[in-house]
Amino acid sequence: MMANGGTEKVVIVGSGPAGWTAAIYAARANLDPLVLEGAISSDSEMIPGGQLMFTTEVENFPGFPGGITGPELMIALRTQAERFEVRIKGVSVEKVDFSKRPFVLTDSEGDTVSAHAVIIATGASANWLGLPTEEHFRKAGLGVTACATCDGAFPRYRDRPVAVIGGGDSAMEEALYLTKFSNPVHIIHRRDQLRASKIMQERVLAHEKIKVEWNSVPVEVLGDDTAGVTGVRLREVKTEKLRDLEISGFFLAIGHTPNTAFLQGQIELNEKGYVKLKDTYRSTTSVEGVFAAGDVADSVYRQAITAAGMGCKAAIDVERWLAEQGIE
Ligand code: NAP
């Protein structure tokens, strides 16, 4: 039941693996959580369920020996939460007031909810170049993705050329990972210098399967709806010349943006906008009573399973904290 005066014991914001895992644990601890699962944004970039809703096959989430699609996994997690009578509202949070307790959250319908504790699990969104062809093949699941760890092992990339876009550590890591399956692995970078750490650069530049396409910007992803991605058209920055590269996969690694715009000024964020955890092993934040889990507070691992683990920790932290406060 709701705590005194219509104030929720705990509100969970976000509905990816972190949010649903937190909800399952909180519900089983009798905290009667309310999940604000997000509303579909006009550009469909933000939808309930988060990034996994854009993923086809998930082969690395333990417990599914035959794999499971991203949307199926999210529906399963949601159904599991519903089994424990978690209350769910299909709204996004637009504003929060964490300056005093109980906290107040204002949603996309203009309604407010007050809560003794809040778990933020709004995730991070991969950055995309914004090319229409990129979006087309991404949504069709035909060779455009922002997660090599998730998708690199699929047959369509085996022994085929692929491209990684970006010059940071993520791009280096993804390119090195992809060399297990694909050949060659092109790194497409817009400058003549990589941003990545020296050690990663050295590994990449010494790798026989990796070729860096310097000073190059993708202008079109090539292919068709049967074969999927078959190539990429590049513009050479210095000469403005166009050239085509044959690839079967287009892997974006141009950074992520944490979904924390609604938290500005209310909670401590790091220089990249991720929620700062007070202690790496806990879910506590700079505001007592506000906890964070999943990619919104993790720019390093960004896996469904690590997010789920963080969701579990957040629910346990909330349970203990509410007990300390005498809120039952
Ligand atoms: P990042 O360091 O911000 O690098 C993003 C890369 O994408 C940059 O090379 C950037 O080019 C390029 N880029 C951005 N927008 C672009 C656009 N519109 N078109 C073409 N290229 C574009 O992001 P990250 O690689 O995801 O790394 C994020 C953080 O996590 C970093 O601090 C990184 O060190 C860390 N990380 C560490 C490890 C590790 O230690 N193993 C692994 C992964 C990530 P410019 O260089 O020209 O700006």
Side-chain angles (χ1 to χ4, degrees), residues 127-129 165-173 188-191 193-197 200 216-218 253-256 272 274 299-300 302:
N127 295 336
W128 303 95
L129 293 170
I165 294 74
D169 279 321
S170 293
M172 305 304 109
E173 209 166 65
I188 299 170
H189 185 41
R190 61 184 174 184
R191 293 187 293 132
Q193 257 190 337
L194 296 170
R195 175 177 296 278
S197 55
M200 295 296 273
S216 297
V217 179
I254 58 169
H256 282 74
K272 288 183 182 138
Y274 289 83
S299 64
V300 179
R302 296 195 299 242

Side-chain angles (χ1 to χ4, degrees), residues 32 36 45 62 157 194 199 209 213 244 249 256 262 276 318:
D32 189 23
L36 304 180
E45 282 299 316
Y157 308 119
L194 296 170
I199 182 156
K209 289 188 186 168
E213 311 295 338
D244 294 351
H256 282 74
F262 69 104
K276 233 177 167 175
V318 165

Side-chain angles (χ1 to χ4, degrees), residues 85-103:
E85 293 173 6
V86 167
R87 288 166 302 128
I88 303 167
K89 206 172 166 198
V91 292
S92 302
V93 174
E94 308 233 306
K95 218 169 65 179
V96 295
D97 183 355
F98 289 163
S99 62
K100 55 184 181 315
R101 294 211 299 260
F103 306 120

